[in-house]
Amino acid sequence: MRVSLKWLKELVDVDLPVEQLVDQLDMTGTKVERVVRTGQALERVVVGQVLVKEQHPNADKLSYCRVDVGAGEPLRIVCGATNFAEGDKVPVALVGATLPGGVTIKRAKLRGLESEGMMCSARELGAGSDASGLLILPEDAPVGASYAEYAGLADTVLELEVTPNRPDCLSMVGVAREVGAVLGADVRFPEWDLATSGEPVDQAVSVSVEDPELCPRYTARLIRGVKIGPSPDWLVERIVAAGARPINNVVDVTNYVLFELGQPLHAFDLATIAPSGGVARIVVRRARPGERLKTLDGQDRALDAGMLVIADERGPIALAGVMGGEATEVSESTVDVLLEAASFDRASVSKTSRALGLISESSLRFERGVDPELAAVASERAAALIAELGGGEVAPGIVDVYTRRVEPRPITLRCARMNAFLGTSIAREEAAAILTRLGIAAEPSGDDLACVVPTFRPDLEREVDLYEEVVRIWGMERVPSTLPDGRERVGGLDASQKVERRIGALMRACGLNEHIGLAFEDPRRVELCGFELGPDEQLVELLNPMTSEQSHLRVSTLTGLLEAVSRNQRRGVGEVHLYEVGRVFRTSPGRKLPKERTVVSAVLCGAWDRQRWYERPRPLDFFDAKGVLEVLLEGLRIDRWRLDASEHAWLQPGRSADVVVRGEVVGWIGEVAPRVLQAFEIDGAVAALELDVRALARASAAVVRYEEIPRFPAVKFDVAFVVPREVEAETVAFAIRSYGKPLLADVRLFDVYEDPRDARERRLPEGAKSLAFALEYRAQDRTLSEDEVRSVHERLVERVCAKVGATLRA
Amino acid sequence: MGIVEKIVQLRDEALGRIAAAADLESLESVRVAYLGKKGELTAVLRGLGELSPEERPAVGRVSNEVRDAIEQALAERRAVLEREALEQRIAAEAVDVTLPGRRRPLGHQHIIHQIVDEIVDVFVGLGYRIAEGPEVELDYYNFTALNHPPEHPARAATDTFYVRDLSTDEQSGRLESDVLLRTHTSPVQVRVMERQRPPIYVLAPGKVFRRDVADPSHLPQFTQIEGLVVDEGITFGDLKGTLEHFVREIFGPERHVRLRPHFFPFTEPSAEVDVSCAMCNGEGCRSCGGEGWLEVLGCGMVDPNVFRYVGIDPERYSGFAFGMGAERIAALKHGIPDLRLLIEGDMRFLRQF
């Protein structure tokens, strides 16, 4: 809403500087988005008086003048115009002025004589089309004054952000009422007299509303014998300040009243409406299939069935509340004007306006809601103005189809409860005064206020709505700050929230940086990766995605992480270590909401670091990811877990596994398949993992029991088993542990050896590997003797060899 | 030469070699040469048995004295040499302390989640618990129960992502679904009030989605933090005090807070909360666009219509709610010029915070 301060000041006294007014509006709920000073284009244009006018010695058509501009020596100005005389007052553009046409005035020599400014025509000032000569100002124009100010061009326009609950503030009167309440000033509402004559309107116009749900009220008035012409300057100035374009006096008046009172109006040329039985018959109905309308903006539009239209016998003549039709618009030849002032359903106008991509001052207001009570008032106001400006006579009466009447709403405001609710101690009288200024009747009734909310405030429905009115005007800054004193309140994170935090801390301790990826997914990437979905499961599909790359929701965070790896590489960052904790989605037929699962995932690519003085970079691989996994599980106090070698489409075969915690698969780990890396344009290997956070939270031990720290020394033996290459280390370790009870306290794999493929001499049999373990034997209650342990150890080694098919390495 | 002279000569020899020993190794060889099993003094002492009983005490005494003298000299020399050896080692081991330390790069938490955790901790300190809700939501929780009228513009398919509903076979018109990506964290309010009776003190951080093309100041997915309090006797002043405490904890104790009346469908009264600009302290400068204040959150008293949807009696209970965007706070607090940096995963960005 654009509010001209000049116009506003006619409605309410505003004695304070603009900055303070803006501040006060901001702080009472009317946000001022911008303050625009108009008339600024005419800076450095002042009122001057021609003192001397001489013939230019070198040019017949030029004169050479001395012009008093109120300050310093009179200026010397060379001028081409002839319509002025010594003593005339004219607008003078000083050196440095930039005129609306973009010309900047400079000191210049014209035919040998220096000119120190320019005397202007109306056209040069953008004040009209007259370029025939200088704009001669009245004799009383003060020499030296700013021309813009003198001519009343200077104004300040406040651009207000009006919240959707305040349709009343989409009018000058509404804003004036608000400003009056904020400043404690009285408002001067516009007044008018309406004289009517001739045949009553209902002899010439009939209205039928077929859909009262969508049109609670429709009024029509008739002004006969109007002379169409330009509007007077004051009116043009105001509607221009409000953001409209002047068209002709009738249309300008409808816009003026729209801005002044907030009621959208429409003027039809009566002659263009198909008569029916001698009267213009207006029908408010829904559009029929296939109907079209050429709107005022010249567009021929196909209407959806169901859009509310104003129609005559022949078909639609206007889109209700949105825009009029071209065929029935007021033109230079219009004589009789049919004036519509109506109330239309908010949702219907909004839908039509959106469907057609057509937003007008009218649709903006109807979308927010226009008070049905206003229609007849505004119609009268507009008719009176049209008659005043365009002559013509207003037909007596109004056709008024008002089916869904709105009434002022009584609400009781309990002062004690208000203060208890706000935490304030606002006196009843103070509250009453605030409400009264806002146009809400507030009469004392016992300890309370009996209020009546006017129809222009549809947002005030409940008692609490009145609390808000009181507190925002009284001043939110005056409300004392307190903290709730609830007694039964205990703060904290729950177990799974704590686990989630811990997961993040552990990933960072491993050197991983947190990424936040988008939840959107491209189904082609899901197909590329071959993510596994259950038999019934499918991706979650967006009905209105922004791009085909973001048309679904992710089932894994891996794709987003790989995209980040690729982006880093493209930007020259080769060492990428990222983790993410986020949700993934899948759904199945019959489900309304999809299944949401939180996962933690990680990608490692390149080395941990660039080359350092103490270390060469080493590309990260499966075991670096597994190291992260081990730290994570240790940190979560999860001890019973293992990796089962497995194959997944997105992982490289032979370097991938399922993570199994207490017999349950909780995720996967592996190196990303070369095919996938290629599709993401990633160089080098990427080791990755993804685990289910809830499953980790369930397995994470809440309490760890103390185990006694060994008091007696251990006896240590090393042993190297030679086994076929495909035997897993864990199989051997498991055998060692199970045969080692009760004395075996610790088993550690410390060496893995295979003959290099091109080795000249083989140390191991073909296809074999050596796994060397360090074993520690210990008793809780005594120091073991080496002999005692040796026999146990030898038996253990024999049994392990037999179990896993191992021999001992020589 | 008598035996005593021989012993004295040995002593002098030994003491001379001890003094000359340059390192612990040669000192040890001196010890072995005189006091070892095959040492010269040992040999002499071993020969004492062959002396006559008259000679024995005197020679014995002398040889004991000599042995003690040599041992003492050895000990003293050893101490000196050990000290020298240690000093040499220390000198040799001196390092350039300005060389970088050996380390693996430390991982960093995403700045958005640092902010979320920081805010969570402030409210946990005020006695709040953390609530969560689904990111794919029902229209009912996202709009209806939050008092959004059916024609509310936020419901438009231009603003909100809708999700295919698989619970019904007929997918009437493309966008008629009432399943959507939540556009704010406020639906968590409704879910909490449905399952829990007052007193309620919860904070709900989470991802939200709006149909905005990613640009320097918009992301289609961002992070909100929602707060909800419902209890007996909760006042607008409580809301104000709570937010003032929060803003000073997060932005610094010297910052000012102001509430500007505003409109939200699910709170009444409603306000936007501004924090004074850190650069100009409310005076207006370039970094705050001349406003002096930066908008950081929206808030208000829970609207009675919302209470009605979840069956809480608005005459008995009152409450407040507030919501803020973590990305906006990140941008304000850390001067992040382009929100897209937050979702790109650029290591150089992530490691800054």
Side-chain angles (χ1 to χ4, degrees), chain B residues 121-136:
Chain B
D121 290 345
V122 169
F123 283 97
V124 164
L126 288 174
Y128 289 55
R129 301 198 70 94
I130 308 307
E132 287 159 78
E135 290 173 10
V136 182

Side-chain angles (χ1 to χ4, degrees), chain A residues 6 38-39 146-155 237:
Chain A
K6 257 168 79 178
T38 58
S146 149
Y147 170 73
E149 232 158 77
Y150 163 72
L153 299 177
D155 191 4
E237 211 174 89

Side-chain angles (χ1 to χ4, degrees), chain A residues 249-330:
Chain A
N249 49 2
V250 172
V251 174
D252 293 350
V253 164
T254 60
N255 280 329
Y256 179 82
V257 175
L258 173 140
F259 293 127
E260 183 185 55
L261 302 179
Q263 171 69 54
L265 298 161
H266 187 67
F268 294 101
D269 180 344
L270 184 71
T272 62
I273 297 174
S276 163
V279 297
R281 199 173 133 69
I282 298 285
V283 182
V284 185
R285 61 166 171 84
R286 290 176 189 255
R288 296 179 183 133
E291 283 189 325
R292 304 181 72 86
L293 175 67
K294 196 170 192 185
T295 42
L296 280 175
D297 54 5
Q299 299 250 19
D300 186 23
R301 298 171 186 272
L303 307 182
D304 293 347
M307 288 176 171
L308 193 69
V309 296
I310 314 303
D312 65 5
E313 291 289 301
R314 286 185 292 247
I317 56 172
L319 276 168
V322 180
M323 194 174 272
E326 199 178 70
T328 52
E329 76 176 311
V330 171

